[in-house]
Structure formats: structure tokens, C-alpha cells
Amino acid sequence: MTQEKRITHWVEGKPWTGPAARQGEVFDPALGTVCARVDYACEADVDAAVAAAGAAWSTWRTATLSRRAGVLFDFRAALLRRRAEIGAAITAEHGKVLSDADGEIARGLEVVEFACGIPALLKGQFSESVSTQIDVTSIRQPVGVCALITPFNFPAMVPLWFAPIAIACGNAVVLKPSEKDPSASLLLAECWAEAGLPPGVFNVVHGDAVAVNRLLTHPDVRAVSFVGSTPIARHVYETGTRHGKRVQALGGAKNHMIVTPDADLDAAADAAVSAGFGSAGERCMAVSVVVAVDPVGDDLVARITERMAHLRTGDGRRGCDMGPLVTGAHRDRVTSYIDAGVQAGAKLVIDGRGADVDGGEDGFWLGPTLFDNVPPEASIYTDEIFGPVLSVVRAPSFDHALDLINANPYGNGTAIFTTDGALARRFQNEVEVGMVGINVPIPVPAAAYSFGGWKSSLFGDTHAYGPDALHFFTRSKVVTSKWPRTATPAARPDLNFPGNR
Ligand code: NAD
């Protein structure tokens, strides 16, 4: 039996030593056994973390830009040093295969590298002589204590979307990671400490809705970045803004990939399989619907089926292609969607239930599953499943396919596979989705751009990382100043609204 460990909070640069009134189980999904217990913060625990962050912020906000950049460079070095250890922790608690865990660290590192440029990124603007002897300058200042609330599916990358830029901007952070795979957040905390970040600037509280709701209502939390499912994102946005905070809340997804008859079908089939089943479909940018434009359907489904036959499902530590689902409850939920899809009349081409796996007998297994001819009213089409279930929908025309995407309540990511440049251009112009791939299945923006969806996939008006993050994690201030070279001759006060002359 795997030995259980206790996972606790990280406050003021060190592990929490207080007791825990409540704890939750953390599983190794490939074995199906409990590998740790994680403390669930009560309101007082959250208050202690916010107080530590507030105290640290009062000093960190004055740290010079070169000092902040120095910490970011050293944090990057620490992440590189401990990369394998972080990847192993992700695989042990999330289940994704080791190479995929490493891939999420790589994408997180890109954001750290962006944040290393903070001295240039935070430059303000200056206008000389906007009026007689009057100059204007704009500056960006940190907002204060920022709460980051993150999902289970990217336990390192999503915290790295936010914390490096928030900290580089001069803020202090309280991270509330997913209770399902909490260990990566503590390894990040250790990396910050190794990088010389002052204690209290980066804190971690573990737990559930109790911790989240305290962060959303705490008077000293100024900004909240959330990533998770749409219902919780909506709750976080509404509660946080009602309590006077700036909030960005990234929600769920139902990503469609259109394949037109002129497309390179081998490339499209490769893309559908890798974007549909990578990380067992537990990605917000996973492709869950392939829209095959007539008459490409039969050929495309045959090529996808052929590729799926070679996928190996099993323990992520054994070099398999796809790991287990994160918990038994989630696996059962995804399985119930397969049952519902069959009942709704969709054609089950490959059934992942009972698939052969290379892993523990009690692991949370479900093999890659493919449905064809999925009716748009079936729950496998309408709902976010977040598992290894790929649906093919047949569309009579490109216009029909585009309408399908635009009618969907989600708008996170989408892709088109085509060799028709004019059609691709029309797609990028008319599709109501925040991140668009053209012959690219998972169009996660590079770190110098910002990440975010439209419609029910994001609440708030700024996206994650990139330029939007600089805006989100700072407040702007504009200073209008007058330094006359000679004393102004005495005159009557002028009560008119000042114009620029
Ligand atoms: P989730 O919504 O269950 O949990 C997200 C966070 O909210 C966790 O920290 C969790 O502890 C907390 N939480 C859960 N229930 C809560 C409640 N009732 N009140 C307050 N807080 C609560 O999401 P998840 O299952 O961890 O992650 C998967 C979801 O995240 C999927 O819907 C996926 O699409 C989405 N996601 C979106 C993006 C994006 O960029 N849009 C990225 C990654 C994941």
C-alpha cells in the first residue's frame, strides 16, 4: 500500500504548522489508492495567509524592477532544476503521462520568461508640454494581495499563468490550488523561496469552497484570477465583483474542430486524436467535437479510428500515451456520458469502457472513445465532458459547421483544418471564439499574447498572461504636473474648467 503523507498550506515562506479541522483525500489515479491527505483551510487559515501576503506586499511593492527581475530569473532556474520532480508529482496525483506533465511545465516556463522582462514591460508613458509648462506621465502600480484559484487539470501551468506576472508587477499572492492534486503548488512555493522571494509574497492555502469563498469576500484581497468550470467561474465572478474586487474567471469549454473536404486528412486525423485524447481529454483546449463537412466524414472517421487503435492507455510513469482520469467519481461521470450517447442514438465506433490498460487494477481507467453521427441535442454534444470522448458531428456545409460553433454557449478554443486560405480567413473573422487554430488543433497562445475564451468560457474583460496580465495586475495612475521656471504673476482665480493651451 502507498504511504500517505500530509499536505499542508504554505504561509510566510514556510509550511504551515497549525492543525487542520478538515482534510481531503488525494489519490494516485493510476493505482486508485489514497496517496496523501490534504488540509482544508478554514476561514481563519485563509485570513492568516492574506495577512501574511498583505504585510509582505507593503515592502515588495517597493522592490526595484531589477530586484524583481532577478528573483524571476532565479525562479526560472529553480524550476529548471526541479523540473523532473514537479513533473513526477503531477503524474502521481493527476495521472497525465510524464511527457505531458513536462509539457505543462514548459508552457509555464514561457510565462516566467515573459515576466523576466518586467523592467521593460512596466514602462509608463510621458508627454511633455500637454499645456503651457504642464507635463503628463502615466505609471502602473501593483494592486495588492491577489488570489489565484486554480483547477486540477494543470496543477503547475495554470498557477504559472498568473503568479510570475502578478509578483513581477509588485503584488503578493495567495494561491488556492485544486484539492485533487495539490503537491505541485508546494514545489512552486519552494522554488520561489529558493529564488529569494521574500516570505509572504507567495502563499498557498489548500481546500475547497470554504477557502475560495473567504478569498472572494476578504476585504484585503484586491484581485482574483480563477480558472475552473463555468458554474464556479460565474459564482466567483459574481461574488468577487460584488465585493469590490477585480476578477477574471476563466470557465469551461466545448472545442470544435472543423475539417473541410479539401483538408489534409492525415494531418486532421493526427490532430483530432492528439487534441482529443492527450491528457485523457482533461484539457480546456481539448478538441471534443470534430465537425466533418460533407462528404469527408466516412474517410475521416476511418483515419481517426485507425490511429486510435495504436494508443496505449496506462500508468503515466510507464511511457503510455494516455493516463487515467483524475478520480473515480470523475471517471464514473464520464462513463455515464458514454451510456447517454448510446441512448441518444449516436454511433459508438470505439468504446473505451473496459479497455485494456497497462496500470493498477483499481486505477481510474477509461480508454479512448469515439462517437460518430452525434446528434446536436445529445448530452455528449451539449455538455463539457472533460474526458477521452471524441464526438464526430456531420455538417452538410462549412456555413452549417460555423453556425454550430457560434450557437454553442462556450467559446474557448476552436480549429479548422483546410487548404482553402479564403475560407480560413472567413473562419477567423466570423467565429465567436477567443482562441482560433488554423491547421493547428490546440491554439494555446504563446506567452507574449494573452489566453482566454469568449462567452461562457470567460467572465471579466481581461485574459490570462501576456499584455492583459500587466493590465490586470496593476492599477494605472496618471500624474499631471507643472514646474514653472518663473513665478506666475498674480492673477484672479479662474473658475472655468481647465483647457490645454
Ligand atoms: P472546478 O470548477 O471544479 O474547480 C476549480 C477551482 O474551484 C478549484 O480550486 C476548486 O477547489 C474550486 N471550487 C470547486 N467547487 C467550488 C465551489 N462550489 N465554490 C467555490 N470554489 C469551488 O474545476 P476543475 O474540475 O478543477 O477543473 C476542470 C474545469 O476547469 C473544466 O471545466 C475546464 O474546462 C476548466 N478549465 C478552464 C480553463 C480555461 O482556461 N478556460 C483552463 C483549465 C481548466
Side-chain angles (χ1 to χ4, degrees), residues 150-153 176 179 209 212 226-229 251-252 284 384 386 451:
T150 55
F152 81 83
N153 67 318
K176 206 305 283 172
E179 64 279 30
V212 172
F226 171 89
V227 181
S229 59
C284 64
E384 180 182 41
F386 224 55
F451 179 108

Side-chain angles (χ1 to χ4, degrees), residues 28 36 107 117 123 135 147 218 263 268 277 288 300 353-354 447 494 498 500:
D28 182 324
R107 292 310 292 256
K123 279 195 294 193
D135 305 327
H218 195 297
F277 302 112
S288 52
L300 182 63
R353 297 170 296 187
D494 180 355
N500 290 329

Side-chain angles (χ1 to χ4, degrees), residues 214-247:
R214 181 58 185 152
L215 288 167
L216 295 178
T217 53
H218 195 297
D220 296 338
V221 171
R222 303 270 178 79
V224 178
S225 298
F226 171 89
V227 181
S229 59
T230 288
I232 310 297
R234 190 177 280 118
H235 161 73
V236 165
Y237 184 75
E238 290 175 358
T239 310
T241 51
R242 201 165 54 243
H243 285 81
K245 301 170 198 332
R246 55 172 69 179
V247 181

Side-chain angles (χ1 to χ4, degrees), residues 6-277:
R6 177 186 173 195
I7 297 172
T8 193
H9 320 303
W10 178 277
V11 178
E12 273 190 301
K14 53 186 185 303
W16 179 255
T17 50
R22 291 186 306 137
Q23 287 187 319
E25 292 175 331
V26 180
F27 290 91
D28 182 324
L31 303 176
T33 52
V34 174
C35 60
R37 287 186 195 276
V38 59
D39 292 353
Y40 281 10
C42 62
E43 292 195 351
D45 301 342
V46 173
D47 290 355
V50 174
W57 176 63
S58 60
T59 311
W60 179 246
R61 68 185 292 275
T62 66
T64 62
L65 289 170
S66 62
R67 160 106 172 92
R68 293 185 215 166
V71 169
L72 263 296
F73 272 97
D74 289 347
F75 178 62
R76 178 179 179 275
L79 281 178
L80 289 173
R81 237 180 359 254
R82 302 190 63 180
R83 187 171 182 160
E85 190 186 350
I86 299 169
I90 294 170
T91 296
E93 294 178 357
H94 175 286
K96 65 177 73 175
V97 301
L98 279 173
S99 55
D100 196 34
D102 188 66
E104 77 160 281
I105 299 167
R107 292 310 292 256
L109 274 163
E110 290 176 20
V111 180
V112 179
E113 285 155 10
F114 176 81
C116 285
I118 200 67
L121 295 170
L122 272 193
K123 279 195 294 193
Q125 293 178 316
F126 180 80
S127 297
E128 190 178 49
S129 299
V130 294
S131 184
T132 309
Q133 296 178 332
I134 292 184
D135 305 327
V136 173
T137 186
S138 72
I139 51 184
R140 299 209 72 92
Q141 297 188 324
V143 293
V145 177
C146 302
L148 315 178
I149 302 157
T150 55
F152 81 83
N153 67 318
F154 285 111
M157 183 184 77
V158 172
L160 290 172
W161 279 356
F162 301 109
I165 301 177
I167 288 171
C169 287
N171 300 287
V173 158
V174 178
L175 167 66
K176 206 305 283 172
S178 171
E179 64 279 30
K180 296 191 180 103
D181 44 15
S183 289
S185 66
L186 296 174
L187 294 172
L188 298 183
E190 289 175 15
C191 288
W192 282 116
E194 287 170 22
L197 186 72
V201 178
F202 181 84
N203 307 277
V204 181
V205 291
H206 297 288
D208 56 4
V210 172
V212 172
N213 290 332
R214 181 58 185 152
L215 288 167
L216 295 178
T217 53
H218 195 297
D220 296 338
V221 171
R222 303 270 178 79
V224 178
S225 298
F226 171 89
V227 181
S229 59
T230 288
I232 310 297
R234 190 177 280 118
H235 161 73
V236 165
Y237 184 75
E238 290 175 358
T239 310
T241 51
R242 201 165 54 243
H243 285 81
K245 301 170 198 332
R246 55 172 69 179
V247 181
Q248 51 179 187
L250 284 71
K254 193 77 188 176
N255 304 316
H256 295 60
M257 175 179 137
I258 295 181
V259 182
T260 61
D262 56 277
D264 175 340
L265 290 192
D266 281 323
D270 284 343
V273 171
S274 57
F277 302 112

